[in-house]
Amino acid sequence: MELSYLTSRIREVAMDHGIATAALGHDLAQSLRSIIADMREAMYLGELADLPEIMMEGETVKLRFLLGPGTWLVVEPIGVKAMTIESWRQSHRVKLLQITGRG
């Protein structure tokens, strides 16, 4: 799967384990690293073992992957012409948008 990033900061956190650990702490950084590794190995989002929470924002599908208690990686599936709440599984590209959580 091909990954892209909304901002340079999310790219740094996703690509550099040291930066992720400093920003998120060891456990959340390890969870992020695991989800990103799974995404890189998958051909399509639907192949991931961990199913995300699905959200619709207007016509945009967003997925939330749980990193730890109260903390999520929010991504946008891209690469499918008419993205719907059902078609996200066929996406072979994903944009990492943000990490949200408590604190």
Side-chain angles (χ1 to χ4, degrees), residues 14-99:
M15 302 278 290
D16 188 311
H17 188 62
I19 292 174
T21 301
L24 302 170
H26 176 73
D27 292 342
L28 292 177
Q30 197 63 24
S31 183
L32 175 65
R33 185 177 183 154
S34 177
I35 289 172
I36 289 174
D38 289 347
M39 286 180 180
R40 287 190 174 130
E41 292 295 318
M43 292 293 291
Y44 297 95
L45 271 171
E47 294 178 351
L48 298 177
D50 295 330
L51 293 177
E53 177 184 323
I54 305 163
M55 306 176 296
M56 287 295 295
E57 289 187 8
E59 294 185 18
T60 304
V61 175
K62 292 187 178 176
L63 308 174
R64 286 188 349 163
F65 290 91
L66 185 63
L67 296 178
T71 307
W72 296 269
L73 170 64
V74 181
V75 305
E76 179 183 349
I78 50 181
V80 175
K81 288 184 182 182
M83 189 64 66
T84 66
I85 204 157
E86 294 85 23
S87 67
W88 67 267
R89 294 175 187 269
Q90 302 305 313
S91 181
H92 61 279
R93 295 176 59 212
V94 65
K95 182 186 295 182
L96 281 64
L97 302 175
Q98 62 184 343
I99 296 170

